[in-house]
Amino acid sequence: MGVGETLVTLGENGDVMPSLAESWSDESPRSVTFHLRNAKFHDGKPLTAQAAATSLTHAWNATNRPKALGKANLTFETTDDHTLKITSEKDDPILIQRFADPGTMILSPDAFTGDANKDREKNGGKDAEAKESSSDAAPDLVKHGTGPFSLDKKASSTQADLKANDDYWGGKPKLNTVTVKFMTDASARTAAFRSGEVQLATAIPTSQVSEIEKSAGEIKSTPLPRAVLLHLNTKKGVFTDPGLRAAAREAINSKAITDSVFEGKADAATDHLFNPAEEWARTPDDASKSAVPATQP
């Protein structure tokens, strides 16, 4: 919604781009140091390395930890107000990219305290006490992000009203307000977009995109970093052999799938999104050397 931001983002080709971190350096395969820009949370407090460490620690400790953070233990330490060092217990070729995931957005420390929810305390303070004792309590987004738009009051189940953040580090937004509507039904989203009730919609069913393009005027679309994956067990069974993994890869006609199932609205994957050099499978020539004989099932 433009309320929260991450340390980095990913460009169109999967390249790491600056966000709340202006720059970074990876001293080893298991550590990265982020240098934070001068920015403010919507409550007026400055973005600091300690605030970023607190936010990421809450994300790491949550029972429903963002999958992008992986399973290897992470530690967060500050060396000054704008320098944050993150260390993994294991070598990690995509350590930097993990902090582009929306689940790692940086929020003000007050987003995680009972003080942020005083106006919603009930039952003699018992609710606030329960929130403080649970690592799974949802953070309070009201005035606690850094993005171009601020959430000034709690969103309802159907709508959130955002206001432009005049002090945004990237410059004042061109819109003064934004109304976000939560529509879980895909058909309802499509109908709202076609009628002009909303001007921007996500997750429009592929089968309806062509009809919208025919009936609407000018339409702009943005590709999203989503992938449809086939997971192979590389720990046991036939796919422990990288040659056979390569054979399986070559046997799948990705373009035919994108042209038919996705009606040309997706791109066939040609490489590893985060680490193009990763040797997940050998070349087809190598695969032929390990191919299963035709007489075997």
Side-chain angles (χ1 to χ4, degrees):
M1 298 191 299
V3 172
E5 297 175 298
T6 51
L7 293 176
V8 294
T9 61
L10 297 180
E12 292 184 2
N13 298 317
D15 300 327
V16 183
M17 307 290 290
S19 184
L20 289 180
E22 287 185 306
S23 62
W24 52 88
S25 56
D26 46 346
E27 298 85 357
S28 74
R30 60 180 62 187
S31 68
V32 57
T33 297
F34 290 104
H35 304 282
L36 308 186
R37 67 174 70 252
N38 289 316
K40 291 182 179 180
F41 293 106
H42 298 147
D43 59 9
K45 295 181 180 180
L47 167 68
T48 65
Q50 185 57 56
T54 297
S55 187
L56 292 173
T57 298
H58 275 273
W60 172 257
N61 288 334
T63 300
N64 294 321
R65 178 186 304 159
K67 291 184 178 179
L69 288 180
K71 297 181 179 179
N73 189 50
L74 299 176
T75 57
F76 311 92
E77 56 183 314
T78 64
T79 56
D80 58 46
D81 284 347
H82 289 87
T83 305
L84 172 66
K85 183 177 181 179
I86 301 175
T87 304
S88 170
E89 66 178 346
K90 298 180 180 179
D91 289 358
D92 188 348
I94 62 168
L95 182 60
I96 298 173
Q97 288 90 333
R98 294 188 185 281
F99 299 96
D101 184 83
T104 66
M105 75 168 64
I106 306 302
L107 300 174
S108 169
D110 284 346
F112 307 99
T113 66
D115 290 342
N117 300 303
K118 278 185 177 179
D119 60 330
R120 293 193 292 276
E121 289 180 10
K122 296 179 181 179
N123 302 326
K126 293 181 181 179
D127 285 355
E129 181 179 352
K131 288 181 180 178
E132 289 184 330
S133 64
S134 172
S135 61
D136 290 330
D140 183 3
L141 298 180
V142 176
K143 288 185 174 295
H144 292 145
T146 59
F149 293 96
S150 171
L151 182 65
D152 288 353
K153 64 179 181 180
K154 186 179 180 181
S156 70
S157 60
T158 60
Q159 181 171 309
D161 298 309
L162 312 181
K163 185 176 69 174
N165 175 14
D166 293 341
D167 292 328
Y168 182 52
W169 60 264
K172 184 178 179 180
K174 294 182 179 181
L175 297 176
N176 292 323
T177 61
V178 173
T179 298
V180 180
K181 297 189 176 183
F182 307 123
M183 299 180 178
T184 57
D185 183 75
S187 296
R189 287 197 302 273
T190 303
F193 184 75
R194 296 184 69 169
S195 68
E197 179 184 350
V198 300
Q199 290 73 50
L200 175 67
T202 62
I204 296 294
T206 302
S207 60
Q208 300 185 42
V209 172
S210 296
E211 291 301 317
I212 291 177
E213 291 176 336
K214 292 177 183 178
S215 61
E218 181 183 6
I219 292 181
K220 294 183 179 180
S221 61
T222 300
L224 298 176
R226 296 179 58 193
V228 178
L229 307 174
L230 173 64
H231 294 274
L232 304 179
N233 189 338
T234 62
K235 300 296 184 182
K236 62 181 180 179
V238 297
F239 289 120
T240 58
D241 184 340
L244 288 174
R245 296 200 293 268
R249 179 185 60 193
E250 293 301 314
I252 297 174
N253 189 337
S254 297
K255 189 176 186 306
I257 295 174
T258 57
D259 289 346
S260 58
V261 177
F262 295 99
E263 300 183 9
K265 303 303 181 184
D267 298 318
T270 58
D271 219 329
H272 192 287
L273 176 62
F274 291 137
N275 187 19
E278 183 173 286
E279 295 183 359
W280 177 81
R282 294 202 296 267
T283 64
D285 288 341
D286 290 333
S288 64
K289 301 174 185 178
S290 302
V292 177
T295 56
Q296 295 188 15

